[in-house]
Amino acid sequence: MMAHYNEAKKNKCWKINTLQFSKQLERNCFNLKKKIINKNYFIKPSLSFIAFSPVKREIFAGDFSDRIVHHQIFTELNQYYDSLFINDCYSCRKNRGTGYGIKRVSKFIRSVSDNNRKEAYVMKLDIAGYFMNIGRKILYKQNKRLINHFFKNSPKQKNYLLYLLKKIIFNNPTLNCYLRGHYSDWDGLPKNKSLFCAPPGKGLPIGNLTSQLFGNVYLNDFDHFVKEKLKCRYYGRYVDDMVFMHESKEYLKALIPQINNYLQKNLGLSLHPKKIYLQNTNKGLPFLGVIIKPHSIYPGKRIRQNFINALRQAKQTKKGIESINSYLGMMKNYNSYRFRKKHLESPLGKSALKALRASANDDYTIIKEDMFN
């Protein structure tokens, strides 16, 4: 339990909920474990709020004690589940995250187009309101089947995992939460992006570590259907963003009704009709925050704008070297030298560096405080 506590408190040491739990750490960990063993564990109210960056979305932050349980569940299950996922599932996986996904998709584009020597196409699809339309009964059955398989020789562990999973999966946080902010924060948020508008028996809260794992589990059979039944060699997925590549544009078009039919029939999901991207590979693919072309990768619009915003913030507050360097460190992996140079040498960039008493190195990959200021 202590190991899961340490994971749960990372980057959250300063929060009131964490501090209150930590005051009597041993006692609280013991009581939490005792409640689980005696099956007296109840999920506490979540904190619901709207996050506006990088995109507007609804968050349900669980109580700190519940986050410890989430880490426990994730640790115990992911070591078995991860081997079931296809190689090109890029969400919430060690050594197979967004950086890995960008490299893989870049490789796909070069392979399918024979290094841009022949015509090929890329298609990107998106599931409408994915997390808000995950069927809880379906998800629980999927996990129950896997747990019965992996823990068949450990009945005690199997039973307590199923107990906790039932608590977490079937918990409806909208019935037991506090709101932070104003009701107007929800204005403009599409209904299929809010748990408060989710259909009965559906929806997982964005903000829980377990939701990230369950998001992979829910679409795992679909991933294998795409790879093994539809024989899509060039396919990758990050949460509900899916990319497909092929030499034939018509082949990719023909996949859409087959994919939509599988999702509707087996998972109660549907493709977003307005988020179908189908282009020649040389036009580039916006994916995982970057624009991927056959022989180059550029930072996406959001990364570029966030970097400019970081410069503005530094100019005003005289703080933010870490934030600027974070974006520079990210962008140096892509074709962005001209962009970095342009904005660090712009009036805004110079004002920000002056406010920070810092200067950039020769290739604009890092800024450091001037030693003689």
Side-chain angles (χ1 to χ4, degrees):
M1 190 64 72
M2 285 296 295
H4 307 306
Y5 159 80
N6 289 328
E7 287 296 317
K9 77 170 185 176
K10 283 183 179 178
N11 303 319
K12 294 180 175 65
C13 294
W14 53 272
K15 293 198 173 183
I16 293 175
N17 210 225
T18 308
L19 294 171
Q20 287 176 337
F21 189 94
S22 303
K23 275 185 178 179
Q24 295 180 305
L25 179 58
E26 291 185 5
R27 178 182 175 183
N28 287 330
C29 283
F30 175 80
N31 288 339
L32 180 59
K33 186 174 182 179
K34 186 177 178 181
K35 286 178 182 179
I36 293 172
I37 292 172
N38 295 333
K39 297 189 175 180
N40 291 323
Y41 167 69
F42 293 97
I43 295 175
K44 294 182 178 179
S46 299
L47 182 66
S48 178
F49 59 94
I50 295 294
F52 294 91
S53 179
V55 294
K56 188 173 184 178
R57 64 199 190 283
E58 178 185 79
I59 302 292
F60 281 86
D63 184 84
F64 183 72
S65 61
D66 295 322
R67 290 204 296 272
I68 293 174
V69 177
H70 297 163
H71 277 275
Q72 181 179 3
I73 290 289
F74 183 90
T75 300
E76 296 205 29
L77 294 183
N78 193 54
Q79 60 182 318
Y80 296 100
Y81 283 9
D82 195 69
S83 62
L84 302 176
F85 303 145
I86 63 170
N87 186 51
D88 290 294
C89 168
Y90 314 125
S91 173
C92 196
R93 298 182 70 191
K94 188 176 181 180
N95 301 322
R96 283 191 177 88
T98 55
Y100 180 79
I102 290 168
K103 290 178 183 177
R104 285 285 293 176
V105 170
S106 178
K107 182 180 178 181
F108 287 170
I109 289 179
R110 293 194 301 274
S111 297
V112 73
S113 66
D114 193 18
N115 277 322
N116 211 29
R117 286 193 289 262
K118 66 180 184 182
E119 197 169 65
Y121 296 87
V122 57
M123 179 173 71
K124 186 167 76 164
L125 303 176
D126 183 275
I127 295 172
Y130 177 49
F131 276 103
M132 306 310 151
N133 285 289
I134 288 178
R136 295 177 190 143
K137 286 184 179 179
I138 296 173
L139 178 64
Y140 180 74
K141 285 181 180 178
Q142 290 174 330
N143 279 276
K144 185 176 181 180
R145 184 182 74 245
L146 295 175
I147 288 171
N148 282 333
H149 169 72
F150 287 118
F151 297 93
K152 59 184 176 183
N153 295 323
S154 305
K156 188 175 180 179
Q157 191 175 11
K158 179 183 75 173
N159 289 335
Y160 105 83
L161 284 171
L162 289 174
Y163 166 75
L164 288 177
L165 279 178
K166 185 173 285 188
K167 286 281 186 180
I168 293 170
I169 291 174
F170 291 103
N171 174 57
N172 184 351
T174 64
L175 303 177
N176 189 24
C177 69
Y178 303 110
L179 296 185
R180 190 180 76 189
H182 302 281
Y183 290 111
S184 59
D185 291 346
W186 273 258
D187 292 348
L189 185 73
K191 288 187 176 181
N192 67 358
K193 297 290 185 181
S194 174
L195 266 183
F196 292 102
C197 303
K202 291 193 174 186
L204 291 182
I206 296 175
N208 287 355
L209 179 62
T210 48
S211 294
Q212 298 177 45
L213 176 62
F214 295 154
N216 284 341
V217 172
Y218 201 71
L219 286 177
N220 184 49
D221 288 343
F222 168 76
D223 288 339
H224 287 279
F225 166 76
V226 170
K227 286 283 192 181
E228 297 157 19
K229 299 294 182 181
L230 297 182
K231 305 294 183 183
C232 294
R233 181 181 178 186
Y234 302 113
Y235 164 74
R237 177 178 65 82
Y238 178 82
V239 191
D240 62 325
D241 288 339
M242 302 170 282
V243 293
F244 306 78
M245 295 175 210
H246 200 269
E247 298 89 345
S248 168
K249 189 176 185 179
E250 298 306 314
Y251 171 85
L252 291 175
K253 284 182 179 179
L255 289 178
I256 297 174
Q258 298 180 71
I259 290 168
N260 209 26
N261 180 62
Y262 181 96
L263 292 173
Q264 290 177 348
K265 183 179 178 181
N266 296 282
L267 299 172
L269 302 171
S270 296
L271 292 175
H272 198 303
K274 295 182 180 179
K275 292 187 178 180
I276 298 175
Y277 178 93
L278 181 55
Q279 288 284 358
N280 193 294
T281 52
N282 60 26
K283 295 287 182 64
L285 168 68
F287 187 60
L288 297 177
V290 298
I291 310 297
I292 306 173
K293 291 190 173 185
H295 295 291
S296 55
I297 302 173
Y298 301 96
K301 182 178 179 180
R302 190 183 300 161
I303 293 175
R304 298 195 306 269
Q305 189 58 53
N306 287 346
F307 175 69
I308 295 170
N309 290 340
L311 292 176
R312 289 198 185 107
Q313 186 74 13
K315 177 185 174 182
Q316 294 170 1
T317 64
K318 299 182 181 181
K319 297 178 182 178
I321 286 181
E322 297 83 0
S323 178
I324 292 172
N325 278 333
S326 176
Y327 285 110
L328 289 173
M330 182 192 309
M331 290 190 293
K332 74 179 182 182
N333 296 310
Y334 312 124
N335 303 85
S336 64
Y337 174 79
R338 289 183 181 179
F339 175 81
R340 300 194 310 269
K341 180 181 179 182
K342 174 185 174 181
H343 287 282
L344 285 175
E345 290 189 348
S346 70
L348 172 62
K350 289 179 179 178
S351 296
L353 291 177
K354 184 177 180 180
L356 295 170
R357 297 186 175 184
S359 58
N361 63 349
D362 292 340
D363 57 357
Y364 306 95
T365 57
I366 192 171
I367 63 171
K368 292 182 180 180
E369 284 188 79
D370 290 329
M371 291 178 62
F372 302 105
N373 272 332

